[in-house]
Amino acid sequence: MYRAAAMCAAAPGGGGRATRRLGAATAGSRVPSAAPRYSRRTRRVPVAYEAETRPESPGPKWEPENWRQQLERIREMRRHRDAPVDEMGVDKCYDTNAPPQVMRYQVLLSLMLSSQTKDQVTSAAMLRLRQRGLTVDSILQMDDATLGQIIYPVGFWRNKVKYIKQTTAILKQNYGGDIPSTVEDLVKLPGVGPKMAHLAMNIAWNSVTGIAVDTHVHRITNRLKWVKKETRYPEETRVALEDWLPRDLWREINWLLVGFGQQTCLPVNPRCKECLNQDICPAAKRF
């Protein structure tokens, strides 16, 4: 259940599914001098947009062994909705009392801040931004140093200052202060990738355009063998999942697996002994 706009304030250090969707509605820390260097190498993977139709493969469609049983057990483990994503996720960080256009902008900014950043840190940064009035115009009027102080210590905050300013200027000039309503246009914005775009479509426009694959979804679906062959990049994983996973599960799967990854199927030392899927998880024997 959505808990109103004050959710961000609930976290002492401060993304969950909102029951209210925007599409249905018409002092910061001192910033250190040294900046982290973004050196992570990524491979370009073709992005398939919602308008793209994929040819049907002949014969019965492939699907993973035991996936329905695994899914039901993950739902059972997630029934308390008490992971960080449930309390401080992206769809808990925008002002539900703001005009729809402003809410959508806040959703996009929270997604941009969330990359390589824990939910608690993103939530806190969004709260500080909202306390100063978080709108397209307020960000454009804010100098870079002030914006950096407010969002620090989100991951790669210097790059995000630049991307937020560039994206906000584009929104003001080309979209009347609103955000694009397609994945194809969203990923053209500086600092916005496919995962953010699909989540923005879901949360801001109430439109399911694809599966949002982050590090948790990527890791867990590979461990469960929900992909035909091991994938190395989230965008590869998204394409592989969408090839077989029923579309009516696309909205749920990100929230479900992110929380599961935060609490049980951890990146290092996963808690397999606590997992209900221990007997049917292909990766359980490795840990």
Side-chain angles (χ1 to χ4, degrees):
M1 180 75 91
Y2 192 83
R3 299 194 195 173
M7 282 304 304
C8 286
R17 296 169 61 200
T19 56
R20 176 179 177 182
R21 299 287 178 184
L22 305 191
T26 351
S29 304
R30 182 180 179 183
V31 180
S33 57
R37 298 178 63 184
Y38 189 83
S39 59
R40 184 181 178 184
R41 294 182 179 180
T42 58
R43 172 187 165 195
R44 281 192 181 277
V45 179
V47 178
Y49 302 114
E50 65 271 23
E52 179 176 312
T53 57
R54 299 179 188 171
E56 287 289 335
S57 55
K61 180 174 290 189
W62 176 88
E63 61 180 40
E65 185 179 3
N66 299 320
W67 76 270
R68 292 186 184 276
Q69 188 176 5
Q70 291 165 341
L71 178 64
E72 285 303 320
R73 291 181 180 184
I74 293 173
R75 283 173 173 157
E76 172 62 23
M77 289 183 280
R78 290 281 287 115
R79 64 187 175 90
H80 294 299
R81 297 173 178 256
D82 53 1
V85 69
D86 301 306
E87 301 294 333
M88 293 164 281
V90 167
D91 63 353
K92 304 295 185 184
C93 289
Y94 59 81
D95 183 0
T96 59
N97 295 316
Q101 180 171 305
V102 174
M103 289 193 283
R104 288 191 287 268
Y105 175 66
Q106 292 183 3
V107 168
L108 182 61
L109 249 62
S110 63
L111 286 165
M112 295 176 72
L113 292 175
S114 71
S115 177
Q116 304 292 307
T117 305
K118 290 183 180 297
D119 287 328
Q120 297 91 326
V121 178
T122 301
S123 176
M126 281 297 296
L127 179 60
R128 292 192 295 271
L129 282 170
R130 285 174 46 202
Q131 287 172 340
R132 299 177 69 110
L134 180 53
T135 65
V136 165
D137 290 335
S138 71
I139 292 297
L140 290 177
Q141 293 166 9
M142 190 179 295
D143 62 79
D144 290 5
T146 299
L147 180 57
Q149 289 176 342
I150 294 173
I151 69 172
Y152 179 83
V154 299
F156 309 109
W157 59 272
R158 285 188 185 272
N159 284 338
K160 290 177 181 177
V161 167
K162 177 179 67 177
Y163 293 147
I164 287 172
K165 281 302 196 75
Q166 292 174 345
T167 287
T168 303
I170 292 170
L171 298 182
K172 177 75 171 180
Q173 180 175 353
N174 298 344
Y175 297 94
D178 210 336
I179 72 172
S181 58
T182 68
V183 171
E184 186 170 10
D185 286 337
L186 282 163
V187 296
K188 292 176 182 177
L189 298 171
V192 178
K195 180 205 77 172
M196 300 180 203
H198 287 298
L199 281 174
M201 291 299 299
N202 183 4
I203 301 170
W205 293 111
N206 193 30
S207 175
V208 179
T209 55
I211 299 172
V213 177
D214 70 346
T215 181
H216 295 292
V217 178
H218 174 67
R219 177 181 72 255
I220 293 167
T221 53
N222 272 273
R223 285 178 177 175
L224 291 172
K225 303 295 185 185
W226 282 12
V227 290
K228 279 186 180 181
K229 60 180 181 179
E230 185 176 0
T231 55
R232 296 181 61 189
Y233 306 100
E235 188 61 12
E236 289 179 323
T237 304
R238 181 186 68 80
V239 173
L241 287 173
E242 291 178 3
D243 191 53
W244 67 268
L245 189 69
R247 193 179 180 93
D248 60 355
L249 298 176
W250 289 10
R251 188 193 295 270
E252 174 190 23
I253 206 71
N254 176 269
W255 161 82
L256 198 66
L257 296 186
V258 168
F260 180 56
Q262 290 175 335
Q263 293 183 307
T264 306
C265 197
L266 307 177
V268 180
N269 298 321
R271 297 166 180 165
C272 296
K273 292 183 179 180
E274 302 173 13
C275 181
L276 299 180
N277 278 323
Q278 183 181 7
D279 61 328
I280 56 173
C281 174
K285 63 183 70 173
R286 301 204 309 259
F287 300 105

